Structures are given as C-alpha cells and as structure tokens.
Amino acid sequence: MMTPTRPLPRLALRLLTLGLLWLLALPAQAERIRELANFAGVRDNVLVGYGLVVGLDGTGDQTMQAPFTGQSLTNMLSQLGVTVPPGTNMQLRNVAAVMVTADLPPFSRPGQRLDVVVSSVGNARSLRGGTLLMSPLKGADGDTYAIAQGNLLVSGAGAEAGGSSVQVNHQASGRIAGGAMVEREVPLNLGANGGLLELELEEADFGTAQRVVAAINREFGRVVASARDGRVIALDGPLDANARVGFMARVESLDVTPTEAPARVVVNSRTGSVVLNGAVRLHRAAVAHGNLSITIDTQFQVSQPAPFGEGDTVVVPDTEIRVQEQDAYLRVVEGADLTEVVNALNALGATPQDLMAILEALKAAGSLRAELEIL
C-alpha cells in the first residue's frame, strides 16, 4: 500500500507567494458611479442650536461659573409665564446648557425625524438621565429648519465617593435618536436649467472624468455627458421629474474603473503613522541613519563643613553629560513596487519617527517617486 506523498513546504510557500503577487498585479476593480461622484445640490445641510438639559442628578452646570445657564433658564421661564425676581441667585445643579447639532439630509420634508447630538458647553459633569427641552435648530442662513427635544442616551457612566472617582467613556455629550422633527425643507430644484444636471467627482481626476463620460454616453447610446473639468461633468437630463429620477438612478448604477491614484506617502507626525499606496516607487539610493542620544544627569550632593568650623552646609550639584551615537552604515535601498519599497525601508531598522526623516531625505534627494504629505 502506497502512502501519499506530502507536499513540500517550500513548494507551498512558493505557490502562496505567487498567488499573492498575482493578486497584487490585478488591475483596479470597477466601482459604481455613485461611489465616485455625487450630483450637485444633493447633499446634507448642517444644523446647530442652543438649548437646556434638565433633570440631571446634581451633575449640571455651576451657575456661578456658567452664568449663561441661569440667564437661559430665566428667559425660558419668562416665556412660559413664570417671572423670576431680579437679583435672584438660582443655585442650579440639575440644569446644563448644551449645543445641539444635526445633519439635514437632502429631500427632507416637514414631519421627518432626525438624530441629534447634544454636547455640554458649561462645566456639567454628566448629562446622563437628562431631558433636552425644545430647541430650534438653525441652518447657515439663520432660518429654523428643525425642532429638537427628547431624552438623552449617554453611553458613559461614572461614580465618586470619598474623594475617589471612576469614569467610563465620555459623559458630557449624548445622542437622541429621532430627537428632532423637520419643520422646513431646503429648496432644491434639480434640472431647473432645461434639465441640466452636474455630476461632481469626489476626487478631481481628468482620467476618471473621461472614463465616466465615456461610460454614460455608451450606456445611453448618444452624447449625454460632457466633462467641464477634472471634477464636474454636465449631464443633459430629462425635463420630466419622474424620468429624471430614473435617469439619475441609471447613471449612478454604471460601473467605471477609476484611474490609479498618484503615488503618495502620508505621514502623521503626531501619531507616527506612515502609509504608502501601491504606486510608490523608490529609485536607487544609499542611506545611512543613526540615532544620537544626549543624556544629562544631575545629582545633588551635600557639602558639610568640619566640626566646630565656621562654614555653612551647602548643596552642590554634580552634572554629567553623556553623548551616545548609534553606529550606522550605508545601505542601498531600491524598490519597483510596494513590496520592495517596504522591504527596503525595513532593512534600515528604523523606527516610525526615524522613517519620517528618512522619507523626507529621500524625497529631497529625488529617490522617492511619490508625493509626500505630512499631516
């Protein structure tokens, strides 16, 4: 009886490597136009408002440090027919002044519900268990488009006793699902100029714009789209509203293969993150990078005079400075694709912070064939 031969580990490793390289060599996949572009005017509008949260368990604003909370409550009570005597010092602990924000989606109609985010603007410790009172939400033009009110949902929690406290997550902001009602719609008249529509790409690219125009014209069998620049594409849409909706849905569902993104290296100097896309190339260069560390150590010693002497006891600092430089040797770095670039940079054995300086030097030397963006 013959036993089956087991495949060699090296052969399996080679096949796996070839498979990965084949996947990396595949061309860019097609995407729907709705993922690459948006119709002009079809966008969200931001809303903001000011309000009061009541019903807090002693975690509200301290009115002596946040006087606007007391003023807001006095104005609200006066509108409800309650008069607060002038000069009254209201020690409020269950009320907090907040800012309310929301996004108004396109084609919103009066009566629709919106989610709102409520954030404290005073020194309230927590908004947990609070209720937002009726707050108008205004747009950039100053008009009121929605009214917010409801009970807050705060994901954070905390407790304190005996001078010790424990807090989980953030408690100075919360969310109200469906907490705002639309009172006014944003006027939007698509195709008002003889049915003309504008399609705006998320990222300006002449190659992608050309491919989108070709795909749309090929779908409709006539010249429907024309590119104005690398971002805006003009569409000759129908005059009828119902036909226009079908036309726009048909355009958004088309598949287009965008052009390859330009070579780019993104460096976040605050977090030490370095991201390279697949188009980065590295021409031959020799790099030597070493770390220089300077240590300053100060120790204080006491100098005491001899017995029965007339001197004073003084503190004498003893400072020692050490300079240490790590050995560094020239290494040749080169890469024609992303895998080779990563292997060449890893061969330097540099930390992310060192890698930022190396990439800047390679860019200045003309070896890094990519756009270097520092956040």
Side-chain angles (χ1 to χ4, degrees):
M1 181 177 179
M2 298 179 60
T3 58
T5 59
R6 300 174 60 184
L8 295 177
R10 292 184 178 180
L11 179 59
L13 182 59
R14 289 181 180 179
L15 292 177
L16 179 60
T17 304
L18 290 176
L20 292 176
L21 292 177
W22 178 77
L23 290 176
L24 292 175
L26 287 176
Q29 296 182 355
E31 301 181 28
R32 290 182 298 178
I33 291 182
R34 67 180 304 175
E35 299 172 354
L36 300 175
N38 295 314
F39 284 98
V42 183
R43 63 177 181 86
D44 293 346
N45 292 274
V46 294
L47 303 178
V48 64
Y50 173 83
L52 292 176
V53 172
V54 298
L56 303 177
D57 188 13
T59 60
D61 294 337
Q62 298 179 8
T63 54
M64 297 299 295
Q65 300 177 2
F68 48 84
T69 304
Q71 296 174 4
S72 302
L73 183 60
T74 301
N75 295 335
M76 178 175 292
L77 292 177
S78 64
Q79 296 178 3
L80 297 176
V82 179
T83 302
V84 179
T88 302
N89 185 12
M90 297 184 297
Q91 297 294 332
L92 305 175
R93 297 299 302 274
N94 299 337
V95 182
V98 295
M99 298 299 295
V100 187
T101 58
D103 290 334
L104 182 64
F107 312 114
S108 296
R109 293 293 186 266
Q112 289 183 321
R113 288 284 183 174
L114 305 176
D115 296 341
V116 297
V117 176
V118 181
S119 304
S120 172
V121 294
N123 54 4
R125 299 197 310 271
S126 174
L127 299 180
R128 190 177 183 88
T131 300
L132 174 68
L133 299 182
M134 185 174 60
S135 306
L137 301 182
K138 299 183 179 182
D141 55 0
D143 295 334
T144 300
Y145 288 90
I147 301 295
Q149 181 172 284
N151 298 325
L152 272 74
L153 176 61
V154 180
S155 59
E160 58 181 26
S164 301
S165 62
V166 176
Q167 179 175 336
V168 179
N169 295 334
H170 194 56
Q171 303 181 74
S173 64
R175 187 178 183 88
I176 306 177
M181 181 176 294
V182 178
E183 299 292 339
R184 181 180 179 181
E185 63 182 81
V186 177
L188 177 60
N189 191 2
L190 291 175
N193 189 13
L196 182 64
L197 300 172
E198 288 186 349
L199 192 65
E200 299 176 349
L201 297 178
E202 295 288 345
E203 296 184 5
D205 185 271
F206 291 102
T208 303
Q210 181 183 13
R211 296 183 181 184
V212 171
V213 169
I216 295 175
N217 292 335
R218 183 170 55 252
E219 172 68 17
F220 290 92
R222 58 187 178 90
V223 179
V224 174
S226 60
R228 292 183 175 177
D229 49 41
R231 181 182 294 273
V232 180
I233 299 172
L235 302 176
D236 186 12
L239 296 177
D240 181 67
N242 186 38
R244 188 184 305 117
V245 172
F247 174 83
M248 297 171 67
R250 191 173 173 184
V251 169
E252 287 184 336
S253 62
L254 295 179
D255 291 334
V256 174
T257 303
T259 57
E260 186 178 3
R264 182 174 301 172
V265 178
V266 180
V267 175
N268 192 327
S269 59
R270 294 182 293 273
T271 61
S273 303
V274 180
V275 180
L276 300 80
N277 65 1
V280 175
R281 302 293 182 267
L282 190 61
H283 290 185
R284 181 179 290 269
V287 180
H289 183 79
N291 291 326
L292 179 66
S293 61
I294 302 176
T295 304
I296 302 176
D297 186 14
T298 301
Q299 296 182 354
F300 295 92
Q301 300 179 356
V302 178
S303 177
Q304 188 173 0
F308 305 104
E310 298 180 356
D312 297 329
T313 301
V314 296
V315 178
V316 180
D318 184 11
T319 303
E320 181 182 2
I321 301 177
R322 296 187 299 272
V323 179
Q324 183 179 4
E325 183 176 5
Q326 180 183 356
D327 295 336
Y329 304 95
L330 282 173
R331 292 180 179 270
V332 177
V333 294
E334 185 179 12
D337 55 31
L338 181 60
T339 303
E340 294 180 359
V341 171
V342 172
N343 292 335
L345 295 177
N346 286 336
L348 298 174
T351 63
Q353 295 294 335
D354 297 333
L355 190 58
M356 296 180 188
I358 295 174
L359 290 173
E360 289 182 344
L362 289 173
K363 178 65 177 179
S367 176
L368 181 62
R369 311 304 297 175
E371 176 185 353
L372 186 59
E373 180 179 352
I374 300 178
L375 301 180

